[in-house]
Every structure is written in structure tokens, then in C-alpha cells.
Amino acid sequence: MGIDFANAYNEAIRSKKLVLMPSPEVPEDAPEHGYLGLSSSEGWMTCAGRPQMEAGFEDIPSFFTAEGDVAHSVRERCIVKNKPVAEFIGDVIERDGFEITVEPDWERFLQPGVDWVREHTGLLFVEYRVDVGAWIPDEFGTLDTAIITKDEVILIDLKFGRGLRVNAVGNKQMMLYAAGLWENLIRHIPNAPTKYRLIIEQLRVIGGQSIENEWVVDLDDILKFAEEASLAAEKTKDPDAELTPSLKGCAFCRAAENAACPAYAEFALNLVGLTVDDLDKPFTEAPEMPQPEKLSPERRSYIIEHSKMLTKFITNLHGDALTDAQAGKPTPGFKAVATLGDRQWADDEKAEQFWLEKMAAKDIFNKRLKSPAQMERIAGTRNWKKAQDLIHRPEGKPALVPESDPRPALQPLADLLDDHDDFDDLIGADEAVEDIEDLI
């Protein structure tokens, strides 16, 4: 007998409780996602040819994907069993051939989100399998957390990586999860909320926030998007599906990572004014690249925005060339050589004894307090909170980031000077000219 979601929802709202709903039964050997993958929707909706290009490359687990899976498991157990993250610190969990240790700083990255979830009332779904077959046949995925409250439906996706900050606004993966959750069960609940709050929980990334990185969207827009996704999925079936390189579309693409996508290579080269034909020129002939000072501001910004694609392309080429050189394959102009690692004492005790006979102990030993970043990993949340007044964070160098970054823009130097009409009077007219020239 199926679950009466309408009755369960009404009871949860009436009693003002958070009621955990069971996940659909899934065979142990069932895949985690369909052929396209909801988590890859940004890719195949942008580049219809990506799935076919990736098909020839195995999806090899990494330490980072394994770490993310373990973080999801810890978070799930904390929410479902009402346990603190601190209870799992020190646990070593095997995943995909990697041993992942739950570090002390995980409490700071996971506990706020766990607490936030448990503050709500309504129906709770954790690691819930969502089917979007109504729009894309045989396609499904696992939703981290959903809460159907009295006024809105909340969907939360945990991102545990340290690198790329994921934006909740217009997030294709989350939109498909929302559509699937509605089609699977919410549509069976009379008078269910039509407002959806999509949240990316990513405390591990600088600038990321657990709850503030969110986007509110109406059900009508979600269903409209699902239709668009259906059309995009259909295009991927075309044997001659178009390859469309882009910053988001090529992210995590296995074909791009293996330097096997011609469109990706051409796009990366075009960023710096080169073509594939330029690669056939004599090895000793340097390529002609555009002069930075002659680029328009728009073109310059475009290159900066997509510079990661070019860097990744070159890194992949370098890795492939090194692999070929080690295997004895042709690498014109290059060869693989052995290198030396960092110097270290062959025997620490003998080295220590030797130097103590030659020099004073104070001159040969280093002893200093670990940095805040190092202490944060071992201190534990309670001690770390008490130490905040001891920390000073000076201003770093200016950074160039996309306009969507939540941090405020720096005020231009010219605007700063305009704010001081009596600038000359403050430091003297002659000194003002000299100082301004130094600044610019």
C-alpha cells in the first residue's frame, strides 16, 4: 500500500512536528542515477553532444568524490538519528577504495545545516530518490533533503567540495529535483505550497553560506523548466548532437578532462586567437597571440571568465604528453626525466645528534604556534569559537571575481579621490601629485 502523503502532511502541519518520511525501496545494485544524470544537467542541457563524448571514458572515483559521499552519509545520519556531527569525528569510513576520516572541522561545515533542518515542521525527506521520468524517461537522482512546510517546499543540496562555488539561482539540477518531487508526491497533496526554496549548502567554500545561498521560484516556472529539460534531453539522442563548449557545460566533463573533445580544444585555442591549424606550424615557431592592451574590455572579461577552460586544456595536454613520454610514445620536443623531491634527513636522530654537537639547540629547531587554518582542523567547534577574539585577518590582495559573487565591489581609486575635495590641503598639492602617480 502506498503512502498517504496528504494525510501525513496535514498531520505534520497540525501537530507542528517534523516528520521523517521513508525513502522508496531501491535494490542494492541499482545505479545512483540515470544515463544523463541530474547532477550533470548543466552539462547536457548546454552541450547536447556531451553524453556521447563522455560515454567512452569511465567515471573514475576520486578522493574528493569519496569524501563528499561520506559527508552526505554523516549528514544523513545526524538528521535522521538526531545525532550531533561531533559524535562521528575521528571515524574512518571506507568509500570507493579510499579511507575517509571525519575531521574535527566537519562539525563546523555540517552542523549548522543539520540544525537548520531540524528547526522546521512538516514532511522531511532525506537522501530521497526522485524520478523525473515524466519528462525524461528512465532518469532519476537522489535529493539530499526536502521539507514540505506549511508555506513552502524547501530543497537542500549539500556541496562539500572546497573549490567551485555553486549558485542556487537558476540551478538546473535543483529545478529538476523540484519537478520530480512535485510529480512523485507533492501533486497528490491538496493545497500544497507552490513556492519552492532551493538552497545550496556549501559552508566549505569561502563566500559560500549554508542558508543564504538560495533561490525562491514558483511551481509554474519549475514545470516550464522541466519541459525545456525534456527537449534538451531528446537532443542528446541525436548521433550528430552538437558540441557546445562553455564554462559550466564543460565543467567535470570526462571528454574535456581527457582532451578528447575537438570543440573544447577549438574553443580553448580561440580564446587566445589561435586555431587548430596553428598547431601544425613548425615546433620552433612561436604562436602569435593577441596583445592584452589591444583587447576591448568586453573581450578581456570574456577571456578571464573562461580562462579556467584554457588552463584545464593545457594541463590535460601536459599530463597526456608526460604519460606518452613515459610510455615511449612520440612527444616531439619533450622527454620524461626523473626529478628530485624535497630534501629531508635520511635519519632524523643521527642528523639531530650531529647538529647538536655543532650548534646550539635554539638555532636548529623550529617551534611556533600553528596557524589559525591548521588549528581549526584539530581544535573542535567549542574551543574554536572561544578562540575567535585571538584571530586577526588582514586584508589580502584584490581579487577579480564574477559579478555574481556576493562580496561588494571595491571602490575605484578615482571615486575615492573624488570623496576628498580637499585632498591637496590634506597632504600638500605637490605631494598629492607625487602620491597619485605612485598609486597609478
Side-chain angles (χ1 to χ4, degrees):
M1 181 179 295
I3 299 174
D4 186 346
F5 289 107
N7 183 61
Y9 172 72
N10 291 330
E11 179 61 25
I13 299 302
R14 185 193 65 79
S15 62
K16 297 182 179 180
K17 293 181 178 180
L18 184 64
V19 180
L20 176 66
M21 302 302 294
S23 297
E25 293 186 6
V26 180
E28 291 185 5
D29 58 348
E32 295 182 1
H33 54 76
Y35 169 67
L36 295 176
L38 302 190
S39 61
S40 300
S41 55
E42 187 70 55
W44 52 261
M45 287 191 67
T46 303
C47 177
R50 171 171 167 168
Q52 296 181 50
M53 291 296 297
E54 285 191 298
F57 300 95
E58 183 181 358
D59 189 3
I60 301 175
S62 67
F63 172 85
F64 302 106
T65 57
E67 184 184 48
D69 286 346
V70 171
H72 279 77
S73 296
V74 171
R75 181 181 182 277
E76 176 187 12
R77 292 163 70 184
C78 289
I79 294 175
V80 173
K81 302 295 184 181
N82 196 21
K83 293 180 177 293
V85 176
E87 188 170 315
F88 300 95
I89 292 175
D91 287 1
V92 179
I93 303 172
E94 194 280 333
R95 191 66 51 91
D96 294 330
F98 298 93
E99 289 189 345
I100 307 298
T101 301
V102 181
E103 303 288 355
D105 60 354
W106 285 32
E107 183 178 10
R108 190 170 67 88
F109 301 137
L110 295 176
Q111 193 64 53
V114 171
D115 293 340
W116 193 85
V117 167
R118 302 205 67 85
E119 290 172 357
H120 290 74
T121 59
L123 295 187
L124 171 65
F125 303 83
V126 181
E127 295 298 321
Y128 193 85
R129 189 182 180 97
V130 174
D131 191 320
V132 295
W135 296 278
I136 310 172
D138 303 318
E139 204 60 47
F140 51 87
T142 303
L143 172 62
D144 293 346
T145 310
I147 312 171
I148 308 178
T149 72
K150 180 181 179 180
D151 301 317
E152 62 183 359
V153 178
I154 302 170
L155 283 78
I156 305 174
D157 189 31
L158 171 67
K159 302 293 185 185
F160 204 63
R162 293 181 181 273
L164 182 66
R165 183 181 188 274
V166 180
N167 197 337
V169 178
N171 190 285
K172 293 178 171 60
Q173 176 186 3
M174 295 290 283
M175 291 279 278
L176 284 173
Y177 280 148
L181 190 66
W182 174 84
E183 200 280 334
N184 294 173
L185 57 93
I186 298 179
R187 67 188 179 95
H188 300 295
I189 302 176
N191 301 318
T194 58
K195 182 177 76 172
Y196 285 67
R197 185 179 302 275
L198 311 183
I199 298 173
I200 299 295
E201 184 177 325
Q202 198 175 18
L203 277 177
R204 222 177 181 193
V205 172
I206 295 176
Q209 297 294 330
S210 175
I211 304 305
E212 293 181 9
N213 187 2
E214 62 180 34
W215 183 48
V216 176
V217 58
D218 291 330
L219 176 60
D220 288 343
D221 291 329
I222 290 173
L223 298 181
K224 180 180 178 181
F225 172 81
E227 295 294 340
E228 296 173 359
S230 178
L231 295 175
E234 192 65 27
K235 291 181 180 179
T236 66
K237 299 177 181 179
D238 185 347
D240 300 317
E242 184 178 2
L243 296 171
T244 309
S246 68
L247 187 61
K248 290 184 177 180
C250 295
F252 309 113
C253 173
R254 296 192 296 276
E257 290 173 350
N258 286 275
C261 178
Y264 177 79
E266 183 177 2
F267 182 86
L269 291 171
N270 287 342
L271 283 175
V272 289
L274 300 177
T275 66
V276 176
D277 292 338
D278 290 326
L279 303 182
D280 295 325
K281 293 180 179 180
F283 180 73
T284 56
E285 183 178 332
E288 295 184 7
M289 301 179 68
Q291 299 179 18
E293 62 272 13
K294 292 185 178 181
L295 293 173
S296 68
E298 293 76 16
R299 181 64 175 172
R300 182 182 61 194
S301 293
Y302 185 83
I303 292 176
I304 293 173
E305 171 71 14
H306 296 85
S307 60
K308 289 184 178 179
M309 294 181 67
L310 179 61
T311 302
K312 185 177 181 180
F313 175 69
I314 295 174
T315 300
N316 291 339
L317 290 181
H318 187 278
D320 289 346
L322 178 58
T323 300
D324 286 349
Q326 290 175 299
K329 297 180 180 180
T331 53
F334 293 91
K335 62 181 179 181
V337 298
T339 63
L340 297 175
D342 294 335
R343 292 176 297 175
Q344 52 185 304
W345 302 116
D347 187 312
D348 288 345
E349 291 186 4
K350 289 183 178 180
E352 181 177 324
Q353 182 178 358
F354 172 84
W355 287 113
L356 282 174
E357 294 174 355
K358 309 295 182 183
M359 303 176 67
K362 64 180 180 64
D363 294 326
I364 66 172
F365 290 108
N366 288 323
K367 185 176 181 181
R368 58 178 301 177
L369 181 65
K370 290 183 177 180
S371 69
Q374 293 170 324
M375 289 302 300
E376 182 181 10
R377 296 184 62 85
I378 63 175
T381 300
R382 182 177 301 176
N383 289 334
W384 181 246
K385 287 182 177 179
K386 293 179 179 179
Q388 295 308 297
D389 291 341
L390 304 174
I391 298 173
H392 166 63
R393 191 163 194 168
E395 288 188 7
K397 295 181 179 179
L400 190 65
V401 300
E403 288 185 345
S404 59
D405 190 279
R407 288 169 291 184
L410 291 175
Q411 190 174 6
L413 176 61
D415 292 349
L416 288 174
L417 297 182
D418 287 342
D419 290 341
H420 296 285
D421 296 332
D422 56 344
F423 189 71
D424 290 0
D425 296 335
L426 289 174
I427 61 175
D430 294 336
E431 293 178 9
V433 174
E434 293 176 0
D435 287 357
I436 292 174
E437 289 177 348
D438 289 340
L439 288 173
I440 60 176

